[in-house]
Amino acid sequence: DGTPLTPQLNACSSHFYSEMTQADEESQKMFIDRYLEKGIKLDYWWMDAGWYPCDGQWPKTCTWKVDSTRFPNGLRPVSDHAHSKGVDIIVWFEPERIGDENSWLSLAHPEWLLDGKLLNLGIPEVQKWAIDHFSSLITEQGIDLYRQDYNIDPLDHWRNNDSFDRQGITENLYIQGYLTYWDGLIARHPGMLIDACASGGRRIDLETMRRAVPLLRSDYLIEPVGQQGHTYGLSLWLPFHGTALGHNWGGPNLDSSYDFRSAMTPAPNFTYDVRPEAKGDTDWRSVVKLYEQWRDISPAMLGDYYQLLPYSVADDSWLAWQFDLPEQGSGIVQAFRRSKCDESAKTFYLRGLNPAAHYEVINLDVQGAIKYKGKELMENGLEVKIPDIPGASVITYKISE
């Protein structure tokens, strides 16, 4: 609605219930409650693939109704429970890919499909059906944020349905229809946010980003150096994006400041194991402290962005950047010392400051504040020390009285 987004904290249980294929009403309510009990206020509870009938295989899409065996009352009880706690709901959809030849769409409307694999949104009748059907699901199930995936390579299906002298027509009409579909959803649900997933951030084009943001910018998750690299590059183009943060597949929960800060984004998705039977190897005091730091600094992540070092994923290097809010006279610096880096300190020349103003600078890992003039920070630089290998530092600054 023309208003900038604000940072949001999402969480899901996908890594413990094979996405949603083994989840049920009680497990979803339990996860929401356990996060809140630990002092972590969720903005959105995220229910991903597999909430529909799929025989335990989430790619078997296109019978778009809630699995009545695991959710006899639909998703609405989960939504109502979350809403009663002040938490909104994200639900995953993938309307375009036909993942089951015996799905309702395959059997009822084969003429709507391209090669039996792709719902042809270039057909006006299909656009109307999709808007009507999925809008009804959004309303009936109490869904607040619509997440759309796209695990398919569509080009051959488009080309196969055009003659030699008409190549590109099916694709052109399809893309118009896809955007018309989203516009139809937004018109019926004003203010509803859309997450453009697309098999991990593969649909980040201008028209899609006019309507949506990538809450999971890539399916390459958790590993800290990769997450640093994603934020470093993507922030030049998109101010709002997210990634997973918390559970290391096959390993422990991640509670170190290096791991956590490497994945700090405007929209992290917590994937911690909060089940009562979970191994007690998570330092929840550290997690909550880092979460509270994220709450404090995340608004700055939507500010002006400056790269403070050249890009590198080398283990013997540093990486750093700055987010600045000029209207508020504040901002942050995020810096990372990698696992084989011998340098314990770096000097960074900050950007965008008021040379005449005095700034209060705070290292979140060090008690006390130091005051500098803006001119000093830009011309002489700010020295950042990171004693840990690997290690991460977050520096905040604001104009002081």
Side-chain angles (χ1 to χ4, degrees):
D1 294 333
T3 302
L5 296 175
T6 56
Q8 66 185 57
L9 179 66
N10 315 308
C12 72
S13 62
S14 297
H15 311 100
F16 315 108
Y17 301 107
S18 295
E19 301 295 351
M20 285 284 289
T21 62
Q22 298 174 17
D24 56 21
E25 178 182 320
E26 292 309 312
S27 69
Q28 300 304 284
K29 291 179 178 178
M30 177 269 290
F31 255 79
I32 294 168
D33 290 344
R34 294 279 291 177
Y35 268 109
L36 298 178
E37 289 166 8
K38 292 183 180 297
I40 295 173
K41 171 64 174 73
L42 304 179
D43 296 306
Y44 285 91
W45 178 247
W46 178 321
M47 290 187 280
D48 216 272
W51 50 267
Y52 38 83
C54 61
D55 300 325
Q57 304 171 63
W58 71 262
K60 294 181 68 172
T61 55
C62 285
T63 297
W64 290 111
K65 61 181 181 180
V66 182
D67 184 348
S68 59
T69 301
R70 293 175 294 121
F71 297 94
N73 300 303
L75 301 179
R76 190 76 201 208
V78 180
S79 301
D80 288 346
H81 181 76
H83 293 156
S84 74
K85 308 280 186 174
V87 180
D88 285 336
I89 291 291
I90 299 171
V91 174
W92 180 99
F93 294 86
E94 193 179 16
E96 295 158 279
R97 184 177 61 83
I98 309 301
D100 182 2
E101 62 183 13
N102 294 313
S103 69
W104 179 84
L105 271 172
S106 297
L107 300 175
H109 288 287
E111 75 280 6
W112 286 0
L113 312 183
L114 294 171
D115 301 339
K117 299 294 185 181
L118 190 66
L119 182 65
N120 188 1
L121 288 172
I123 302 173
E125 182 184 9
V126 173
Q127 298 165 24
K128 182 180 184 308
W129 171 83
I131 294 169
D132 289 343
H133 183 74
F134 291 102
S135 179
S136 295
L137 275 172
I138 289 167
T139 299
E140 292 165 3
Q141 305 304 325
I143 297 167
D144 303 291
L145 194 156
Y146 173 85
R147 169 173 167 80
Q148 183 163 318
D149 213 334
Y150 196 55
N151 296 291
I152 196 166
D153 294 319
L155 188 58
D156 285 344
H157 302 305
W158 293 331
R159 287 177 171 173
N160 291 344
N161 288 274
D162 284 336
S163 61
F164 177 78
D165 61 344
R166 298 281 288 173
Q167 287 293 311
I169 297 300
T170 297
E171 176 182 0
N172 186 307
L173 295 175
Y174 183 101
I175 297 302
Q176 291 185 56
Y178 143 66
L179 298 172
T180 296
Y181 165 58
W182 275 16
D183 289 344
L185 292 184
I186 293 169
R188 295 198 187 182
H189 305 276
M192 182 183 73
L193 305 183
I194 294 178
D195 168 22
C197 177
S199 200
R202 296 195 303 163
R203 215 176 203 175
I204 303 180
D205 61 86
L206 288 174
E207 287 301 327
T208 297
M209 294 299 99
R210 291 180 192 275
R211 298 161 172 83
V213 292
L215 294 184
L216 202 66
R217 60 195 181 184
S218 172
D219 281 351
Y220 184 79
L221 305 170
I222 301 298
E223 189 276 310
V225 173
Q227 299 312 306
Q228 296 164 23
H230 289 168
T231 298
Y232 181 98
L234 191 56
S235 297
L236 285 170
W237 302 96
L238 290 177
F240 198 97
H241 46 87
T243 188
L245 201 169
H247 184 75
N248 185 11
W249 284 263
N253 285 336
L254 304 180
D255 49 29
S256 78
S257 61
Y258 181 73
D259 293 323
F260 193 102
R261 289 171 175 172
S262 294
M264 275 184 168
T265 60
N269 177 29
F270 274 17
T271 62
Y272 291 99
D273 191 351
V274 298
R275 295 173 296 178
E277 67 271 23
K279 296 179 181 179
D281 58 2
T282 301
D283 183 352
W284 281 106
R285 181 176 297 180
S286 295
V287 171
V288 171
K289 179 181 178 181
L290 289 163
Y291 152 74
E292 290 173 346
Q293 290 179 355
W294 173 84
R295 280 286 183 201
D296 289 339
I297 71 168
S298 56
M301 294 179 178
L302 302 177
D304 295 343
Y305 172 64
Y306 302 100
Q307 297 171 336
L308 298 179
L309 286 175
Y311 178 77
S312 174
V313 293
D315 288 339
D316 61 353
S317 67
W318 281 60
L319 198 66
W321 55 76
Q322 173 192 357
F323 289 107
D324 183 67
L325 295 170
E327 300 87 354
Q328 300 178 21
S330 63
I332 62 171
V333 173
Q334 293 176 266
F336 304 90
R337 179 187 181 185
R338 303 266 174 75
S339 61
K340 296 180 181 179
C341 181
D342 293 332
E343 289 184 276
S344 61
K346 278 274 192 186
T347 298
F348 302 112
Y349 301 90
L350 304 195
R351 309 275 293 280
L353 306 185
N354 181 343
H358 287 86
Y359 288 83
E360 184 178 80
V361 178
I362 297 174
N363 184 324
L364 296 189
D365 298 322
V366 179
Q367 287 189 341
I370 302 176
K371 288 191 176 181
Y372 300 88
K373 285 194 71 173
K375 183 178 181 180
E376 290 180 80
L377 292 171
M378 291 192 291
E379 294 184 0
N380 300 333
L382 173 70
E383 184 183 53
V384 177
K385 297 179 180 179
I386 301 180
D388 297 330
I389 308 174
S393 182
V394 177
I395 312 293
T396 68
Y397 60 85
K398 64 178 178 180
I399 291 178
S400 61
E401 296 295 333

